[in-house]
Amino acid sequence: MTSIQNLATFDPFADQEGDDLGGGKGSKIHIRIQQRNGRKTITTIQGLAPELDFKKILSAWKKEFCCNGTIVEDEELGKVIQLSGDQRKSTSVFLIEEGISSKANIQVHGF
């Protein structure tokens, strides 16, 4: 009779242990989507380098994606940009095309 191995539980929604939330050259940029009420969603972008001009990036995104947005200051995560609507793909393409981050440093979360 063969022994059955106990499989370790895995939580796909838990953050990885080695994530850098600080923002810098080697850290990951996390792009998430949050469901509000009904069909309304918010896209959050965290992990951008602190030396970037968040106001200029936000105004460029607001003009290019035709959406509203704001910058939220968090003690643990630093500055987090919130955009209305599902802007995950367009923000990641913008960050890569403008040379702000590489594709390997961008992690897109969501359904």
Side-chain angles (χ1 to χ4, degrees):
M1 189 166 179
T2 61
S3 64
I4 298 175
Q5 293 180 350
N6 188 8
L7 299 174
T9 60
F10 175 71
D11 187 8
F13 298 106
D15 286 337
Q16 296 176 352
E17 299 262 337
D19 280 348
D20 290 331
L21 295 176
K25 270 299 192 196
S27 67
K28 290 214 177 249
I29 296 174
H30 296 275
I31 302 175
R32 292 185 171 90
I33 188 167
Q34 295 176 348
Q35 189 77 30
R36 278 184 38 212
N37 49 358
R39 295 175 49 196
K40 308 290 184 184
T41 57
I42 296 175
T43 305
T44 60
I45 300 97
Q46 74 181 40
L48 290 170
E51 61 267 4
L52 292 173
D53 190 0
F54 285 85
K55 287 186 178 183
K56 281 189 179 181
I57 293 173
L58 180 62
S59 66
W61 279 345
K62 286 166 66 172
K63 288 179 184 176
E64 188 170 331
F65 308 147
C66 298
C67 67
N68 199 2
T70 185
I71 300 171
V72 178
E73 187 69 39
D74 188 26
E75 300 114 14
E76 185 179 325
L77 304 174
K79 290 186 178 179
V80 178
I81 296 179
Q82 292 182 343
L83 298 172
S84 62
D86 187 4
Q87 308 294 340
R88 290 176 293 176
K89 180 146 177 86
S90 45
T91 53
S92 62
V93 168
F94 181 90
L95 291 171
I96 294 167
E97 286 179 353
E98 295 297 320
I100 296 173
S101 180
S102 64
K103 188 173 185 178
N105 288 342
I106 296 176
Q107 189 167 8
V108 179
H109 304 274
F111 33 78

